[in-house]
């Protein structure tokens, strides 16, 4: 378990790393790989002209395209954990349309300011930007239909809290579709740390089994982790999906002895 001193140091490291990235928003570098041809803006090669401001695209620091992974629909309410420069917020807002709403959550004032500029430039009016942490989401329970996130959960030093918050704020029947860096089960924590730092989305990566166990522990079902491309030896950008049962009580009853589970 991470001790208090180490946790504080890592939090400072992450904060300063992404504060610098916000200041360098014109850079096309990605947090998860030194190869901008693979990560960051490269994950959004299907974006057409005028879909999002160039500044938002160039500020992308992630390892995938979660707004596409989540298969968003008109009228849905979406939460982006770690919304950064606002690209996924903008794309999500367009997908859910004027009857939908998108919350973008970030813990850095600099990133929120950057996102606000990009949202304004995109002329989007169904976005709400929130300051806070992914371990303590400033929204009521059962608020959002879909949670997305782009290579942010691996940065958390209290992942059980993040998973508990995802389950809390999702509406019954809600789902998550996120991108993250995930380790193969063969790699232990020390081996992951040898392959890259915490701020670079490597050292803090969960394994496939750990991801599924944490999702299951908070009652999120049908979890799947699908590798998309390599981030380092034994670590991969991945798509993670799961859902919150529409009626948790009924589902638990079906799965009880004598019941039937699909």
């Amino acid at each position: 378990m991470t001790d208090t001193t180490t946790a504080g140091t890592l939090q400072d490291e992450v904060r300063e790393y992404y504060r610098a990235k916000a200041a360098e928003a014109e850079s096309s570098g990605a947090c998860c790989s030194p190869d901008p041809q693979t990560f960051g803006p490269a994950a959004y090669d299907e974006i057409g002209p005028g879909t999002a401001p160039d500044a938002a695209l160039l500020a992308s620091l992630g390892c995938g395209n979660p707004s596409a992974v989540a298969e968003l629909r008109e009228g849905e309410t979406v939460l982006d954990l770690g919304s950064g420069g606002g690209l996924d917020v903008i794309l999500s807002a367009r997908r859910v349309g004027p009857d939908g709403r998108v919350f973008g959550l970030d813990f850095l004032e600099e990133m929120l300011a950057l996102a606000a500029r990009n949202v304004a430039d995109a002329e989007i009016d169904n976005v709400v930007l929130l300051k806070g942490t992914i371990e303590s989401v400033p929204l009521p329970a059962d608020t959002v239909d879909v949670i997305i996130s782009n290579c942010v959960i691996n940065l958390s030093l209290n992942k059980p809290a993040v998973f508990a918050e995802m389950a809390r704020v999702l509406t019954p029947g809600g789902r998550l579709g996120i991108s993250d860096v995930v380790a193969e089960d063969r790699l232990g924590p020390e081996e992951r740390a040898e392959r890259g730092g915490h701020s670079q989305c490597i050292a803090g990566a969960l394994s496939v089994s750990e991801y599924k166990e944490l999702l299951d522990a908070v009652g999120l079902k049908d979890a799947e982790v699908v590798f998309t491309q390599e981030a380092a030896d034994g670590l991969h950008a991945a798509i993670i999906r799961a859902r919150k049962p529409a009626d948790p009580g009924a589902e638990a009853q079906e799965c009880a002895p004598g019941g039937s589970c699909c």
Side-chain angles (χ1 to χ4, degrees):
M1 191 169 182
T2 307
D3 62 43
T4 304
T5 302
T6 303
T9 300
L10 288 174
Q11 286 173 340
D12 290 341
E13 175 191 324
V14 170
R15 184 177 293 108
E16 292 309 312
Y17 182 88
Y18 288 96
R19 182 171 285 130
K21 286 295 184 183
E24 298 166 4
E26 296 304 316
S27 168
S28 62
C31 81
C32 304
S33 170
D35 180 10
Q37 303 305 313
T38 304
F39 293 91
Y44 298 86
D45 57 2
E46 85 290 355
I47 293 180
T51 303
D54 288 345
L57 179 60
L58 292 173
S60 173
L61 302 171
C63 55
N65 183 346
S67 59
V69 165
E71 301 176 351
L72 303 179
R73 298 185 285 266
E74 290 275 341
E76 290 187 316
T77 298
V78 180
L79 168 64
D80 182 7
L81 297 177
S83 49
L87 177 60
D88 293 316
V89 164
I90 292 168
L91 297 178
S92 298
R94 294 201 189 283
R95 286 189 167 98
V96 301
D99 293 331
R101 176 182 287 188
V102 180
F103 294 101
L105 175 66
D106 208 280
F107 76 124
L108 279 181
E109 292 281 1
E110 292 87 347
M111 281 297 187
L112 289 167
L114 175 61
R117 290 195 298 272
N118 288 329
V119 168
D121 288 345
E123 299 181 342
I124 299 288
D125 59 7
N126 57 338
V127 165
V128 178
L129 297 175
L130 303 170
K131 184 178 181 182
T133 69
I134 63 175
E135 296 86 1
S136 182
V137 178
L139 287 174
D142 303 335
T143 301
V144 300
D145 302 307
V146 189
I147 291 174
I148 64 171
S149 184
N150 198 352
C151 208
V152 172
I153 292 173
N154 59 66
L155 297 173
S156 174
L157 302 181
N158 187 357
K159 293 181 179 66
V162 177
F163 284 75
E165 283 293 86
M166 288 195 290
R168 182 183 68 82
V169 300
L170 275 176
T171 58
R175 66 192 187 279
L176 61 88
I178 62 182
S179 300
D180 210 353
V181 170
V182 180
E184 296 173 16
D185 285 336
R186 64 182 175 87
L187 295 184
E190 291 183 0
E191 292 172 300
R192 298 170 214 172
E194 290 170 357
R195 287 157 169 76
H198 197 88
S199 296
Q200 289 73 39
C201 309
I202 299 297
L206 293 166
S207 70
V208 174
S209 293
E210 289 167 345
Y211 235 110
K212 290 182 175 180
E213 287 167 3
L214 284 170
L215 289 167
D216 184 66
V218 297
L220 298 178
K221 304 298 182 183
D222 299 334
E224 63 174 0
V225 179
V226 179
F227 292 155
T228 57
Q229 50 198 323
E230 187 176 75
D233 176 35
L235 292 110
H236 306 263
I239 292 168
I240 300 97
R241 294 186 178 95
R243 67 177 180 86
K244 184 174 180 177
D247 186 343
E251 182 154 320
Q253 187 174 2
E254 286 180 2
C255 295
S260 62
C261 252
C262 298

